[in-house]
Amino acid sequence: MALAAGLGSAPVPRAELKLVRLLSRCEALAADRRSPGEWRLEKYVAALEEMLLALKKHASKPAPEVLNEYSRKVDFLKGMLEAEKLSSLSEKVLANQFLAPGRTPTTTKERTPATKTVHLQTKARYTGEMRSELLGTDPSCVADLEEMSLRKRTGPLPDEKQSAAELDAVLQHHHSIQEKLAEEMLHLARNLKNSTLVAQNVIKQDNQTLSHSLKLADQNFEKLKDESDRLEQHTKKSVNWLLWLMLIVVCFIFISMILFIRIFPKLR
């Protein structure tokens, strides 16, 4: 970074040296696979913000472009930590897309800016987790493969041109991964649509069958009601004829008794 040039041309403030050391430490921690309970990086980034504010107020502060680069890297680390706290994986991926890593190395030992490497590693890890959710694979295995591939592409290179070429290759690699992931998601969406259409047809057929059954049941109910009415009328008619017949028999017996009494008077 400008720190290397500053060491040879003008004395670097002690506050800037401390800032660079802590920034390099934070970049190293961010590049490593950290456990969920890791707390040091968040504390270090908070200390970085305070040191950066103090450096901006320092009498012998560095050039504005150097301060802007420091601010860019600190904001990147802070944004990365905030993205990791998000609950949804899609939100993490979206937040990671908007992060802006540093443009220049922090120390002279770096060929590629450490924040760029961290950004690509984070992007690879989230991509692996999204793929594992879709394919049902182990997220840690996918993430390890992505980071191993990334480290091979972002290792120490002989010159800046090769470094830029490797970065382009990494970006192209992850672009192809995103395209494959999009194709897989599209394929799953098509399968889901086909399954939905099949289920819709089955439900439609079942509804038609149920409607036909209900219609037959209504028809049978109407027929049963008509037969019940006919049976009731027939029963009423039978009862009426039986009643009249009994009345006729009773009348006949009564008249017969009267005639019998008249014809055969009582014997004395």
Side-chain angles (χ1 to χ4, degrees):
M1 193 177 172
L3 175 61
L7 288 173
S9 59
V12 180
R14 188 169 181 176
E16 185 178 359
L17 287 175
K18 290 182 179 180
L19 176 70
V20 171
R21 289 172 186 167
L22 186 57
L23 179 59
S24 179
R25 178 61 177 162
C26 290
E27 291 173 347
L29 285 175
D32 293 336
R33 291 294 298 276
R34 292 173 286 110
S35 61
E38 177 64 44
W39 56 270
R40 292 179 299 171
L41 181 58
E42 189 171 357
K43 297 295 183 182
Y44 290 170
V45 172
L48 268 178
E49 289 184 298
E50 295 178 359
M51 294 173 66
L52 182 59
L53 289 175
L55 183 60
K56 290 180 179 179
K57 299 177 182 179
H58 201 275
S60 57
K61 61 182 179 182
E65 58 270 13
V66 178
L67 287 175
N68 291 335
E69 185 66 17
Y70 287 149
S71 300
R72 186 183 182 92
K73 292 181 179 181
V74 173
D75 291 340
F76 169 78
L77 293 173
K78 184 179 178 182
M80 184 191 70
L81 291 175
E82 292 177 353
E84 289 179 353
K85 295 179 182 179
L86 297 175
S87 58
S88 174
L89 183 58
S90 59
E91 292 178 353
K92 292 181 180 180
V93 174
L94 183 61
N96 186 68
Q97 293 290 339
F98 288 102
L99 294 179
R103 297 188 179 93
T104 57
T106 304
T107 62
T108 55
K109 297 180 180 179
E110 297 178 4
R111 292 285 184 179
T112 302
T115 49
K116 281 190 178 181
T117 303
V118 172
H119 190 214
L120 293 175
Q121 286 178 350
T122 307
K123 186 177 181 180
R125 184 169 71 252
Y126 291 154
T127 303
E129 291 177 1
M130 288 186 67
R131 181 189 295 178
S132 67
E133 284 187 0
L134 290 174
L135 303 180
T137 55
D138 188 0
S140 60
C141 295
V142 178
D144 289 338
L145 290 175
E146 294 291 342
E147 289 194 4
M148 286 175 62
S149 175
L150 181 61
R151 286 172 182 169
K152 289 180 181 179
R153 288 175 165 81
T154 59
L157 299 173
D159 52 28
E160 294 297 331
K161 292 184 178 179
Q162 288 184 344
S163 177
E166 287 296 324
L167 283 176
D168 291 339
V170 171
L171 293 175
Q172 185 176 2
H173 171 69
H174 287 288
H175 182 68
S176 62
I177 290 177
Q178 289 180 350
E179 288 183 350
K180 291 180 181 179
L181 185 62
E183 291 178 359
E184 292 171 356
M185 293 177 67
L186 181 60
H187 180 68
L188 291 175
R190 288 176 179 173
N191 290 338
L192 180 61
K193 181 180 179 181
N194 293 333
S195 301
T196 304
L197 290 176
V198 172
Q200 185 179 0
N201 292 331
V202 171
I203 294 173
K204 186 177 181 180
Q205 291 177 358
D206 292 341
N207 288 334
Q208 291 178 353
T209 304
L210 182 61
S211 300
H212 182 66
S213 300
L214 290 175
K215 187 176 181 180
L216 290 177
D218 292 338
Q219 292 177 356
N220 293 333
F221 178 76
E222 294 295 334
K223 290 181 179 180
L224 181 62
K225 186 178 180 181
D226 294 340
E227 294 296 329
S228 298
D229 293 339
R230 291 178 59 187
L231 180 61
E232 184 178 359
Q233 292 177 1
H234 181 71
T235 303
K236 289 180 178 179
K237 290 180 179 179
S238 300
V239 171
N240 290 334
W241 281 108
L242 181 62
L243 180 61
W244 282 107
L245 180 61
M246 291 180 64
L247 288 174
I248 292 174
V249 171
V250 170
C251 292
F252 178 74
I253 293 174
F254 179 73
I255 294 173
S256 299
M257 290 296 295
I258 292 175
L259 292 175
F260 181 78
I261 292 173
R262 294 286 186 184
I263 294 175
F264 302 100
K266 184 176 179 182
L267 296 176
R268 295 180 180 177

